[in-house]
Structures are given as structure tokens and as C-alpha cells.
Amino acid sequence: MKVGSGARGVEGDSSGGDGVEKAQPAKRRRVAAPAAGVGGSRRVQAEASPLQRLFQACRAVFRGPGTVPARAEVDLLCSMLDSMKPEDVGLSASQEFFTNRDDPEGTPLIKNTTIYECDNFTMVIFFLPRNAIIPLHDHPGMTVFSKLLIGALHIRSYDWVDPEPASSGGSSSSDQLRLAKRVVNGFFTAPCDTSVLYPTTGGNLHRFRAIAPCAILDIIGPPYSTEDGRDCTYYAAIPFSRHHSNKNGADLTGVDEEGHRLSWLKETIPRQLRMPKIRYGGPPISDE
């Protein structure tokens, strides 16, 4: 999902009062610690926090648009994220936001805070109240690592089957459908392993629904960029049975040869989705 201004169907807001932080609008693209003093780089490396080590690994792994992390690099980041704790980013499961079980009035408000952002990657935390939903959306040309730090979450992920949209008989682009296969559909409770979305395969479209208040740490490389053709598109899933097709060997039962359930995805705009940004208040990182 796209953060900051410019996301389709996303409105900015600076309101606080969620028990996560005394939130203020984000004013900087990155959070940096004071420069290292006496002791040199060896001392800095020896005392590096888990978040600082993760940042350094991300800076080495993400080398810009058009590059995909190698298997060993994916394993490295997953290993580091798997060991991350809420305290490593200044959070605690005992905070009011994560212990509140009451349903909010109206549409639950999702918030996000950016830890670091550059042209090659971004590190961001999403805060989902109970019953909040981040609709099905894509990550074109991106590799995404998602670590559930606190809470319980239902995740549904898809991969494309058809490379191009198929006309459903309508005349507008909004009537075009694309065939996708469901690759993940399950419940996850923190602590759990890191989820990875690859640029071509690996569930590059996903939907989150919070079973309990959640904090999700996302590493996205490269970040969304409308100028570079990496915009965020949201989708609605339509049962396969409503639009039969034999294209690409799709079975009329709605299940492919590997046993994945098939669905048609249609572009949509989630008009009630609001995702304001709040100030990051966790441990600083240094990009020196």
C-alpha cells in the first residue's frame, strides 16, 4: 500500500490519540542519530541496534529500481526481521492502542510512520486497529518484506495468472478483469515469520485484515513512485465462477493445476480508506 500523499483513495490526516505516539505530522524523510564520536566505525558497529543493523542490510540489498534481491539476500533480511521485537522500534504490546479491544466508531483509522525513506527502499510501520482492513493492492516491480510485530492478522495474497487484462464485455477500463491465483489465505499471530512479496511471483498482491490491533513493519524496495510507473492499484476480487475461462489452462472448477484457487480481480478505488502519517518516535538510525 502506498504511504504519504498522492495515493489513490488515501487521505492524509495528522490526528493523534491512538495510544501509539503523541503523533505529529512527519517532517523529515529519514530519522538519523548524531554522528559517531570517539571510537570510530568499529565501535558504532559493535553497538549497533537491531534496527540499525537492519537498515545497513537494507542499504546493501536494495540497489535501486530494476534489481531484485538474490535468494541469499532475501534469507538475510528475513532472518533479521524474524528476530525483530516491538521494542526495537519503540513499541510495546502493553500500549493502550494494542490492548484496546473496543470496535471504533465508523471505519477504523489506519496510521503509518516512516522510519526511513530513500530512492532504493523505505522502512515503514502500519498501525491497524481491530477490524481495520487494508484492501487488496499491488506492489508493481517491488520486493516487500512484512513483519507482524504485534497483534493478529488475516492475510490473503495473490499472484497474476493472466499477464494482461481480459475484457468482461464492458466498454470502460474499469470493466476489465485479470485472472489471479490465491497463494496465501490464513491467520497470523505475532511473533511469526516474515512474509515476502516478490516482483513477479510470491503473492505480489495482498490484503490485510486486523483480528486484533496490529503493528506491521514493512520494508519496500524500491518504494512506490508514480513518476517511475510504480503506482498503487487497489482491486476487488470476483469469484471465478462468474467469468469462466480456459485461458492459460485455467480449470472451469476455479482451481489451477497446482491447486491454487482462482479469482478475477477488478481495479477499484477504496474511497473510505484513510491512512494518515504520524511522527516516528522509536530508536533513531544513522545513515552515515
Side-chain angles (χ1 to χ4, degrees), residues 97-98 100-104 108-111 126-135 148 150-156 186-189 207-216:
F97 177 82
F98 303 108
N100 182 12
R101 301 293 177 176
D102 295 330
D103 293 337
L109 182 63
I110 301 168
K111 297 187 178 183
F126 292 92
F127 301 100
L128 280 67
R130 184 186 181 194
N131 295 325
I133 294 176
I134 298 180
L148 179 61
I150 298 174
L153 196 67
H154 179 266
I155 300 177
R156 180 172 294 174
F187 295 91
F188 299 84
T189 302
R207 173 186 184 271
F208 291 158
R209 177 168 62 89
I211 308 303
C214 296
I216 307 168

Side-chain angles (χ1 to χ4, degrees), residues 9-15 107-112 127 129 132-135 234 270-277:
V10 179
E11 300 176 2
D13 194 307
S14 60
S15 59
T107 303
L109 182 63
I110 301 168
K111 297 187 178 183
N112 71 90
F127 301 100
I133 294 176
I134 298 180
Y234 292 91
R271 300 185 183 279
Q272 293 186 336
L273 179 63
R274 299 177 60 227
M275 205 175 298
K277 183 181 289 291

